[in-house]
Amino acid sequence: MAVRIRLSRKGTNQKPFDRIVVTDSESPRDGRYLEVIGYYNPKKGRASATVKKERLLYWLSKGAKPSATVRSIMKEVQAGSSK
């Protein structure tokens, strides 16, 4: 089983938000997941994200691969925390 860290879409048409989830790579986008490790809100003025860093590091150490979008969100979160 290949494990991925990716976004799962939630919300309504005009108020979307995403969960950052750990899931099997073969699951559908909004299908079953192993764990929710954060949230991403693309509409809130400037996009905002919250991530449970200890759980993120845990899953990365177990071999989970982040999607390209999650990788860029992680870079933004890390850059925002260092300021």
mmCIF file of all heavy atoms in Angstrom, residues 30-49:
data_model
loop_
_atom_site.group_PDB
_atom_site.id
_atom_site.type_symbol
_atom_site.label_atom_id
_atom_site.label_comp_id
_atom_site.label_asym_id
_atom_site.label_seq_id
_atom_site.Cartn_x
_atom_site.Cartn_y
_atom_site.Cartn_z
ATOM 1 N N ASP A 30 -12.060 12.145 -2.412
ATOM 2 C CA ASP A 30 -12.865 12.373 -1.212
ATOM 3 C C ASP A 30 -13.256 11.066 -0.540
ATOM 4 O O ASP A 30 -14.205 11.005 0.230
ATOM 5 C CB ASP A 30 -14.122 13.181 -1.562
ATOM 6 C CG ASP A 30 -13.772 14.568 -2.085
ATOM 7 O OD1 ASP A 30 -12.723 15.094 -1.684
ATOM 8 O OD2 ASP A 30 -14.540 15.111 -2.888
ATOM 9 N N GLY A 31 -12.506 10.016 -0.808
ATOM 10 C CA GLY A 31 -12.813 8.697 -0.257
ATOM 11 C C GLY A 31 -12.237 8.497 1.134
ATOM 12 O O GLY A 31 -11.961 9.454 1.865
ATOM 13 N N ARG A 32 -12.022 7.228 1.468
ATOM 14 C CA ARG A 32 -11.512 6.874 2.790
ATOM 15 C C ARG A 32 -10.113 7.434 3.002
ATOM 16 O O ARG A 32 -9.329 7.544 2.073
ATOM 17 C CB ARG A 32 -11.462 5.367 2.946
ATOM 18 C CG ARG A 32 -12.797 4.742 3.036
ATOM 19 C CD ARG A 32 -12.753 3.257 3.216
ATOM 20 N NE ARG A 32 -11.396 2.708 3.363
ATOM 21 C CZ ARG A 32 -11.126 1.512 3.793
ATOM 22 N NH1 ARG A 32 -12.092 0.699 4.128
ATOM 23 N NH2 ARG A 32 -9.889 1.084 3.882
ATOM 24 N N TYR A 33 -9.808 7.743 4.249
ATOM 25 C CA TYR A 33 -8.484 8.227 4.594
ATOM 26 C C TYR A 33 -8.059 7.604 5.920
ATOM 27 O O TYR A 33 -8.881 7.096 6.680
ATOM 28 C CB TYR A 33 -8.448 9.755 4.661
ATOM 29 C CG TYR A 33 -9.498 10.355 5.564
ATOM 30 C CD1 TYR A 33 -9.273 10.486 6.927
ATOM 31 C CD2 TYR A 33 -10.715 10.775 5.060
ATOM 32 C CE1 TYR A 33 -10.237 11.021 7.761
ATOM 33 C CE2 TYR A 33 -11.680 11.312 5.877
ATOM 34 C CZ TYR A 33 -11.433 11.440 7.226
ATOM 35 O OH TYR A 33 -12.379 11.969 8.051
ATOM 36 N N LEU A 34 -6.769 7.640 6.184
ATOM 37 C CA LEU A 34 -6.225 7.087 7.410
ATOM 38 C C LEU A 34 -6.282 8.100 8.553
ATOM 39 O O LEU A 34 -6.591 7.752 9.689
ATOM 40 C CB LEU A 34 -4.776 6.642 7.200
ATOM 41 C CG LEU A 34 -4.566 5.565 6.136
ATOM 42 C CD1 LEU A 34 -3.084 5.372 5.872
ATOM 43 C CD2 LEU A 34 -5.216 4.276 6.563
ATOM 44 N N GLU A 35 -5.981 9.369 8.243
ATOM 45 C CA GLU A 35 -5.936 10.392 9.282
ATOM 46 C C GLU A 35 -6.021 11.782 8.659
ATOM 47 O O GLU A 35 -5.477 12.023 7.589
ATOM 48 C CB GLU A 35 -4.619 10.261 10.066
ATOM 49 C CG GLU A 35 -4.487 11.211 11.200
ATOM 50 C CD GLU A 35 -3.193 11.027 11.984
ATOM 51 O OE1 GLU A 35 -2.374 10.171 11.607
ATOM 52 O OE2 GLU A 35 -3.008 11.754 12.956
ATOM 53 N N VAL A 36 -6.681 12.702 9.364
ATOM 54 C CA VAL A 36 -6.688 14.109 8.982
ATOM 55 C C VAL A 36 -5.550 14.776 9.751
ATOM 56 O O VAL A 36 -5.508 14.715 10.979
ATOM 57 C CB VAL A 36 -8.029 14.790 9.333
ATOM 58 C CG1 VAL A 36 -7.975 16.279 9.015
ATOM 59 C CG2 VAL A 36 -9.179 14.138 8.591
ATOM 60 N N ILE A 37 -4.619 15.395 9.041
ATOM 61 C CA ILE A 37 -3.493 16.020 9.723
ATOM 62 C C ILE A 37 -3.494 17.542 9.587
ATOM 63 O O ILE A 37 -2.596 18.201 10.111
ATOM 64 C CB ILE A 37 -2.151 15.454 9.244
ATOM 65 C CG1 ILE A 37 -1.936 15.689 7.751
ATOM 66 C CG2 ILE A 37 -2.037 13.993 9.588
ATOM 67 C CD1 ILE A 37 -0.536 15.360 7.285
ATOM 68 N N GLY A 38 -4.496 18.110 8.910
ATOM 69 C CA GLY A 38 -4.538 19.558 8.795
ATOM 70 C C GLY A 38 -5.683 20.030 7.923
ATOM 71 O O GLY A 38 -6.477 19.237 7.405
ATOM 72 N N TYR A 39 -5.754 21.373 7.778
ATOM 73 C CA TYR A 39 -6.791 22.019 6.980
ATOM 74 C C TYR A 39 -6.159 23.105 6.126
ATOM 75 O O TYR A 39 -5.162 23.715 6.524
ATOM 76 C CB TYR A 39 -7.861 22.650 7.879
ATOM 77 C CG TYR A 39 -8.618 21.620 8.678
ATOM 78 C CD1 TYR A 39 -8.217 21.271 9.959
ATOM 79 C CD2 TYR A 39 -9.720 20.974 8.136
ATOM 80 C CE1 TYR A 39 -8.892 20.307 10.678
ATOM 81 C CE2 TYR A 39 -10.399 20.013 8.849
ATOM 82 C CZ TYR A 39 -9.992 19.685 10.119
ATOM 83 O OH TYR A 39 -10.657 18.722 10.824
ATOM 84 N N TYR A 40 -6.760 23.353 4.975
ATOM 85 C CA TYR A 40 -6.303 24.395 4.059
ATOM 86 C C TYR A 40 -7.518 25.164 3.577
ATOM 87 O O TYR A 40 -8.481 24.580 3.094
ATOM 88 C CB TYR A 40 -5.571 23.772 2.868
ATOM 89 C CG TYR A 40 -5.163 24.772 1.820
ATOM 90 C CD1 TYR A 40 -4.209 25.739 2.095
ATOM 91 C CD2 TYR A 40 -5.728 24.756 0.554
ATOM 92 C CE1 TYR A 40 -3.826 26.659 1.140
ATOM 93 C CE2 TYR A 40 -5.354 25.659 -0.413
ATOM 94 C CZ TYR A 40 -4.402 26.615 -0.116
ATOM 95 O OH TYR A 40 -4.045 27.524 -1.063
ATOM 96 N N ASN A 41 -7.478 26.488 3.745
ATOM 97 C CA ASN A 41 -8.582 27.348 3.330
ATOM 98 C C ASN A 41 -8.070 28.296 2.243
ATOM 99 O O ASN A 41 -7.373 29.265 2.546
ATOM 100 C CB ASN A 41 -9.116 28.141 4.524
ATOM 101 C CG ASN A 41 -10.362 28.921 4.175
ATOM 102 O OD1 ASN A 41 -10.752 29.001 3.022
ATOM 103 N ND2 ASN A 41 -10.980 29.505 5.172
ATOM 104 N N PRO A 42 -8.404 28.049 0.969
ATOM 105 C CA PRO A 42 -7.890 28.892 -0.114
ATOM 106 C C PRO A 42 -8.579 30.244 -0.233
ATOM 107 O O PRO A 42 -8.065 31.131 -0.896
ATOM 108 C CB PRO A 42 -8.147 28.050 -1.361
ATOM 109 C CG PRO A 42 -9.326 27.224 -1.006
ATOM 110 C CD PRO A 42 -9.187 26.935 0.462
ATOM 111 N N LYS A 43 -9.732 30.444 0.405
ATOM 112 C CA LYS A 43 -10.510 31.660 0.215
ATOM 113 C C LYS A 43 -10.290 32.721 1.291
ATOM 114 O O LYS A 43 -10.683 33.850 1.122
ATOM 115 C CB LYS A 43 -12.003 31.320 0.207
ATOM 116 C CG LYS A 43 -12.428 30.563 -1.003
ATOM 117 C CD LYS A 43 -12.397 31.450 -2.197
ATOM 118 C CE LYS A 43 -13.702 31.375 -2.925
ATOM 119 N NZ LYS A 43 -13.804 32.299 -3.997
ATOM 120 N N LYS A 44 -9.713 32.403 2.403
ATOM 121 C CA LYS A 44 -9.627 33.294 3.554
ATOM 122 C C LYS A 44 -8.604 34.397 3.299
ATOM 123 O O LYS A 44 -7.451 34.286 3.700
ATOM 124 C CB LYS A 44 -9.258 32.485 4.784
ATOM 125 C CG LYS A 44 -9.354 33.236 6.055
ATOM 126 C CD LYS A 44 -9.050 32.309 7.206
ATOM 127 C CE LYS A 44 -9.194 33.029 8.514
ATOM 128 N NZ LYS A 44 -8.889 32.151 9.630
ATOM 129 N N GLY A 45 -9.041 35.509 2.644
ATOM 130 C CA GLY A 45 -8.131 36.607 2.330
ATOM 131 C C GLY A 45 -6.904 36.088 1.611
ATOM 132 O O GLY A 45 -6.905 35.857 0.422
ATOM 133 N N ARG A 46 -5.877 35.880 2.358
ATOM 134 C CA ARG A 46 -4.705 35.177 1.847
ATOM 135 C C ARG A 46 -4.843 33.737 2.316
ATOM 136 O O ARG A 46 -5.222 33.486 3.445
ATOM 137 C CB ARG A 46 -3.450 35.820 2.431
ATOM 138 C CG ARG A 46 -2.195 35.358 1.811
ATOM 139 C CD ARG A 46 -1.029 36.152 2.335
ATOM 140 N NE ARG A 46 0.056 35.192 2.533
ATOM 141 C CZ ARG A 46 1.063 35.368 3.342
ATOM 142 N NH1 ARG A 46 1.118 36.445 4.076
ATOM 143 N NH2 ARG A 46 1.987 34.465 3.425
ATOM 144 N N ALA A 47 -4.574 32.805 1.482
ATOM 145 C CA ALA A 47 -4.784 31.390 1.799
ATOM 146 C C ALA A 47 -4.129 31.029 3.131
ATOM 147 O O ALA A 47 -3.035 31.473 3.437
ATOM 148 C CB ALA A 47 -4.228 30.525 0.689
ATOM 149 N N SER A 48 -4.845 30.232 3.942
ATOM 150 C CA SER A 48 -4.314 29.845 5.246
ATOM 151 C C SER A 48 -4.343 28.333 5.389
ATOM 152 O O SER A 48 -5.194 27.655 4.820
ATOM 153 C CB SER A 48 -5.134 30.490 6.354
ATOM 154 O OG SER A 48 -6.451 29.993 6.338
ATOM 155 N N ALA A 49 -3.396 27.830 6.160
ATOM 156 C CA ALA A 49 -3.307 26.390 6.386
ATOM 157 C C ALA A 49 -2.889 26.132 7.830
ATOM 158 O O ALA A 49 -2.127 26.904 8.407
ATOM 159 C CB ALA A 49 -2.298 25.767 5.437
#
